[in-house]
Amino acid sequence: MHNVRQVVDDLYWIGYNDHRTHLFESIHPIPEGVSYNSYVLLDEKTALFDTVEWDFCREFLENLEYVLDGRPLDYIVINHWEPDHAASLQEVLLRHPESEVISTEKGFYFMTQFGFKADKRITVDSGDTLSTGKHQFAFVKIPMVHWPEPMVTLDTTNGVLFSADAFGSFKALDGKLFADEVDFDKDWLSEARRYYTNIVGKYGPHVQQVLAAAAKLPIKILCPLHGPIWRDNLGYILDKYDKWSSYTPEDNGVMIVYGSMYGNTANAAQLLASEIVKRGHTDVTVWDVAETHCSYLISEAFRVGHIILASPTYNLGVFPPMKDFLNDMVALNVQQRTVGILENGTWAPNSGLEMRKIIDQMFEMYYLNAEVSFMSSVDKNGKKAIEDLADAVIESVKKQA
Ligand code: FEO
C-alpha cells in the first residue's frame, strides 16, 4: 500500500523509511534507520525529484504511480547520482519512457559509470531554469556536497529547495515528515550531526560556499534527500551547518577517548573525567575507542572544543583503534581543536609521540600545556599529572567560554 505525504500544494513526498540496512554505505551503523526522500510535483507538467535506494524500489514505484494517478512523468530531476538516490532511475524509466532526465554534465558521466541509461537528457548548469507551468525552477551546482556532481533545485514559485544531501540526517522519519513534528534537539540532532560529519564533514569549505549562496535565495522550505523537511525555523539547521562546516565547536565540551587493554588507561581516563567535573565543568563525555564505532567519535569531535586522547603503547606505537580514529579525524578534516594526551606503556611509552605525529597533520590543532605519561598503571605521580592535566583543561575551557 502506498505511503505518501503532501509537502505543500502540488508537491508530495514518496520516499522510503529504511530500518533494514544495518550499515549505511556499508560503514556507518544506522540503528534508528534512515530515510531516502523522493518528491513528486504535479503541475501542468509532472516532475520527480530523485529516487530511492534499489532495495526499496517496489514501494517507491507504488508511491509514484499513486501520486501520478495515470498521468505521464514529464521530468526526472536527479540532484545527486549516488545510488542511495539514483539507483531506481532505470525502473522508473522502464515505466515512464516519456520522461526527460535532468542533471548536471558530471552527473550524466556518473550515470553512465553506474550503468544507467537515459535517452532523453537535459543537461543543466548553475543558473539554468525550467518551467513546469505554475512552478519555475532554478538549478545550482553544489560540487563536493558530497560528491563532485550534485546540484540543488529551487522552486522559485514557492521557495522549496531540493537540497540533495545538504541538511540531511540519519534516522528514519516513520511518519514524521517535518522537523517541526519532532523534538529535533532531543531526538534528531545527534544523528543529524553524525550524518553530516561523517558523510560531508570533509568538505566544509564547499558547504560554506553553499550556505553563502543559499543566503541570497528566497528559500522557505528545505527538502533534503535524508531526514526531515524544514519548513519552520530554518535558521536552526543553517546555524548548525555553519558551525559544522566551519569546524567551529558547537559546545564548550570535553571528550575523553581512551583505548585500554587491561583497564589501566581506562582508569586514567575516568580519573581525568572526575577531576574535570570536580572542578565545575560538566560537559565531559568518555568513550572507549575499541567499543565505539568511529562515526560516533567523529560526531563528538565536531561537537566539542577539547579532545583528550588516552592510549596504551602498542607495537611501540598507538593502540590500533585509536590510530584508526585519529586517521579518520585527518580524513574528515577535523581542525581547530584543543588536544590533551595521556600515554601509557609498560616498558617504552611512546603512544603520545606517535599520536602527536598524526594530530600534527590536522589544521590549527592546539595542545594543552600538560600531558600525562605513566607506566602500566596510575600511581601517585600519575595521579598528580592527571590533576595537572585537569587544571589545564579547565583553564583552556574557560578561555573558550
Ligand atoms: Fe545520500 Fe551522497 O548520498
Side-chain angles (χ1 to χ4, degrees):
M1 176 55 69
H2 61 269
N3 180 13
V4 166
R5 275 197 69 183
Q6 187 165 18
V7 179
V8 283
D9 284 351
D10 307 331
L11 186 68
Y12 299 85
W13 176 92
I14 60 161
Y16 190 82
N17 289 296
D18 174 12
H19 283 284
R20 200 186 307 163
T21 303
H22 294 289
L23 294 174
F24 188 79
E25 296 181 345
S26 290
I27 300 175
H28 308 292
I30 43 172
E32 297 181 88
V34 68
S35 72
Y36 310 101
N37 298 338
S38 173
Y39 305 92
V40 183
L41 178 89
L42 300 182
D43 196 1
E44 288 169 32
K45 301 272 191 182
T46 61
L48 170 68
F49 296 88
D50 298 287
T51 73
V52 302
E53 233 275 56
W54 167 254
D55 289 354
F56 313 107
C57 184
R58 188 180 67 81
E59 295 88 341
F60 160 73
L61 288 172
E62 191 174 352
N63 290 346
L64 174 64
E65 298 310 328
Y66 171 79
V67 175
L68 287 175
D69 194 22
R71 291 186 61 180
L73 179 58
D74 296 296
Y75 300 115
I76 303 172
V77 178
I78 301 289
N79 286 301
H80 185 19
W81 281 92
E82 193 162 8
D84 53 335
H85 309 297
S88 294
L89 172 70
Q90 215 67 72
E91 289 297 318
V92 177
L93 285 174
L94 282 173
R95 288 156 178 79
H96 292 281
E98 73 277 11
S99 299
E100 293 186 274
V101 179
I102 299 174
S103 183
T104 61
E105 185 179 11
K106 198 174 281 287
F108 282 123
Y109 282 127
F110 286 5
M111 179 188 81
T112 306
Q113 284 178 206
F114 277 107
F116 303 136
K117 291 184 180 63
D119 295 331
K120 298 178 184 173
R121 305 180 190 184
I122 302 175
T123 303
V124 292
D125 206 337
S126 289
D128 287 349
T129 58
L130 173 82
S131 173
T132 55
K134 187 171 117 191
H135 295 265
Q136 315 297 319
F137 294 91
F139 304 103
V140 181
K141 292 199 288 189
I142 54 164
M144 303 321 300
V145 185
H146 104 265
W147 279 15
E149 93 302 347
M151 62 180 186
V152 294
T153 303
L154 177 67
D155 184 338
T156 55
T157 310
N158 59 9
V160 169
L161 183 76
F162 300 94
S163 62
D165 274 343
F167 312 112
S169 178
F170 290 143
K171 192 170 160 109
L173 296 165
D174 297 344
K176 301 178 198 84
L177 185 60
F178 298 99
D180 54 88
E181 293 174 332
V182 301
D183 186 337
F184 198 86
D185 251 345
K186 176 172 163 285
D187 297 330
W188 278 84
L189 178 59
S190 59
E191 284 299 84
R193 185 189 303 111
R194 193 165 66 89
Y195 170 82
Y196 172 83
T197 56
N198 286 277
I199 306 297
V200 194
K202 181 178 181 65
Y203 303 110
H206 298 83
V207 176
Q208 282 281 307
Q209 285 174 10
V210 170
L211 291 173
K216 296 179 197 147
L217 299 174
I219 298 168
K220 293 192 180 133
I221 298 178
L222 294 170
C223 288
L225 287 174
H226 304 284
I229 293 168
W230 291 85
R231 62 181 176 186
D232 188 33
N233 198 12
L234 270 58
Y236 172 95
I237 193 69
L238 289 167
D239 176 63
K240 295 292 180 200
Y241 261 66
D242 186 38
K243 286 203 170 73
W244 296 335
S245 59
S246 61
Y247 305 97
T248 305
E250 214 175 320
D251 300 313
N252 195 8
V254 180
M255 77 180 294
I256 303 172
V257 190
Y258 70 85
S260 191
M261 297 159 65
Y262 300 106
N264 293 297
T265 315
N267 181 239
Q270 290 291 348
L271 283 170
L272 177 65
S274 292
E275 292 299 327
I276 296 169
V277 174
K278 268 160 60 181
R279 284 159 175 74
H281 189 77
T282 54
D283 188 348
V284 178
T285 56
V286 180
W287 307 78
D288 181 342
V289 74
E291 287 290 331
T292 311
H293 189 275
C294 205
S295 62
Y296 293 90
L297 302 174
I298 289 293
S299 182
E300 185 70 350
F302 271 73
R303 185 185 76 81
V304 300
H306 290 76
I307 303 170
I308 314 295
L309 305 157
S311 174
T313 301
Y314 197 94
N315 290 331
L316 284 180
V318 183
F319 189 56
M322 182 68 82
K323 199 170 179 179
D324 288 347
F325 170 48
L326 289 169
N327 284 331
D328 222 21
M329 285 172 68
V330 174
L332 289 166
N333 241 338
V334 173
Q335 54 187 271
Q336 303 166 40
R337 295 299 185 270
T338 302
V339 179
I341 286 179
L342 290 92
E343 72 171 358
N344 186 3
T346 293
W347 65 94
N350 193 42
S351 55
L353 179 69
E354 296 300 319
M355 285 196 287
R356 272 179 177 264
K357 285 183 188 168
I358 305 175
I359 293 159
D360 288 344
Q361 297 171 37
M362 305 174 208
F363 297 109
E364 294 186 58
M365 300 296 269
Y366 309 99
Y367 293 98
L368 293 167
N369 56 15
E371 284 192 14
V372 176
S373 179
F374 64 96
M375 307 282 280
S376 303
S377 66
V378 177
D379 61 7
K380 206 169 142 193
N381 290 337
K383 179 75 174 13
K384 172 71 172 62
I386 287 170
E387 288 166 2
D388 291 345
L389 181 56
D391 286 337
V393 169
I394 294 297
E395 189 186 337
S396 179
V397 158
K398 279 184 181 158
K399 269 190 211 154
Q400 291 186 19

